[in-house]
Amino acid sequence: MEYISNITKGMMQFAAVALVVAVSVAMPQTASANTGAGALILNVVTVTYKDSGATTSYAETATSSVTVDLVASAPNLSAPADATVASGGTATYAYTVTATANGSDVYPIASTGTTTNATGVTVTPSVTSITLGASVITAAPTASTIEIPAGSETNLIVGDIVVIGGVDYKISAVAAGTATSHTNTSPTDGVAGSTIAETPTTLTLIANAAGSNTAPAFLPALVGTVVGEQGTFTVDVTATAGPGPGDGTV
């Protein structure tokens, strides 16, 4: 009877579920750089012909552009504290995951772990994947605004929580920019055309009252720093102690 009593009264101690956030990393192409994915790099070459009197008689422009690739990077994942619940009960763990890439990416959520003296184990993440926006800061024009390359703001929207230099902020406004371009669309029209400079995307940030609650005070030194979205999800773990006496662990 003591054996049965131990099984009945056994507590199921749940260690924090070990989660692996799998990231599919592709080899970066030549265009990849320390700038936001989706940014456009425009190259313009103009050839000018002059007559013997040094008067321009013909000008022609050729352009080429490259879009910056996503350079995949493993995100930062929090480790919630262990929990102990009654045998057959459910423990719920809250995780935060923060992007460290140069652009938006999808992160599949998978679980792995071991059990001791436990049966009927189920591990259920609240989501199967999480999408996080990210980019690279190109300027900090004011204490509360940052600029990122136009086209790199994918999945960075108002209300998102982002992390810069280890501090979390909330996005209060997004002003999407426009990529650089050139007015000459024909390589044979004899017109040099003109280059239109990029208008960067601007993010306005405020303190995250539910997090660090720190007002932004951005400095130009942030140029080159990743701004990565932070997301949350939960994991439910259920198990029964046994078949041996005493507690079980997952």
Side-chain angles (χ1 to χ4, degrees):
M1 292 299 295
E2 180 64 22
Y3 178 77
I4 296 175
S5 176
N6 282 338
I7 294 177
T8 302
K9 296 179 181 179
M11 299 294 289
M12 175 56 60
Q13 180 181 354
F14 289 118
V17 181
L19 290 184
V20 177
V21 178
V23 181
S24 178
V25 181
M27 291 297 291
Q29 299 179 10
T30 305
S32 299
N34 186 27
T35 190
L40 184 71
I41 299 174
L42 178 68
N43 296 302
V44 180
V45 176
T46 301
V47 177
T48 301
Y49 300 90
K50 297 183 178 181
D51 58 22
S52 58
T55 300
T56 300
S57 58
Y58 187 85
E60 190 56 80
T61 297
T63 64
S64 64
S65 62
V66 177
T67 301
V68 177
D69 287 338
L70 168 70
V71 181
S73 175
N76 294 326
L77 184 68
S78 69
D82 295 352
T84 301
V85 298
S87 177
T90 299
T92 299
Y93 297 96
Y95 285 84
T96 61
V97 57
T98 306
T100 63
N102 71 325
S104 178
D105 204 356
V106 179
Y107 304 89
I109 307 298
S111 62
T112 182
T114 59
T115 62
T116 302
N117 192 35
T119 60
V121 177
T122 61
V123 180
T124 310
S126 60
V127 294
T128 57
S129 66
I130 190 166
T131 301
L132 301 174
S135 188
V136 177
I137 298 172
T138 56
T142 73
S144 61
T145 60
I146 58 171
E147 292 179 351
I148 59 176
S152 70
E153 67 274 6
T154 303
N155 291 314
L156 292 174
I157 62 176
V158 172
D160 280 351
I161 304 301
V162 294
V163 176
I164 301 173
V167 181
D168 52 282
Y169 306 95
K170 179 180 286 188
I171 298 178
S172 63
V174 178
T178 55
T180 183
S181 61
H182 196 271
T183 59
N184 184 24
T185 59
S186 170
T188 59
D189 59 6
V191 178
S194 59
T195 300
I196 301 171
E198 176 196 47
T199 301
T201 293
T202 300
L203 304 181
T204 302
L205 306 177
I206 58 176
N208 177 24
S212 64
N213 200 26
T214 301
F218 301 134
L219 300 172
L222 284 175
V223 171
T225 301
V226 168
V227 49
E229 183 183 358
Q230 184 177 83
T232 60
F233 62 93
T234 59
V235 178
D236 289 339
V237 183
T238 303
T240 300
D247 296 343
T249 60
V250 176

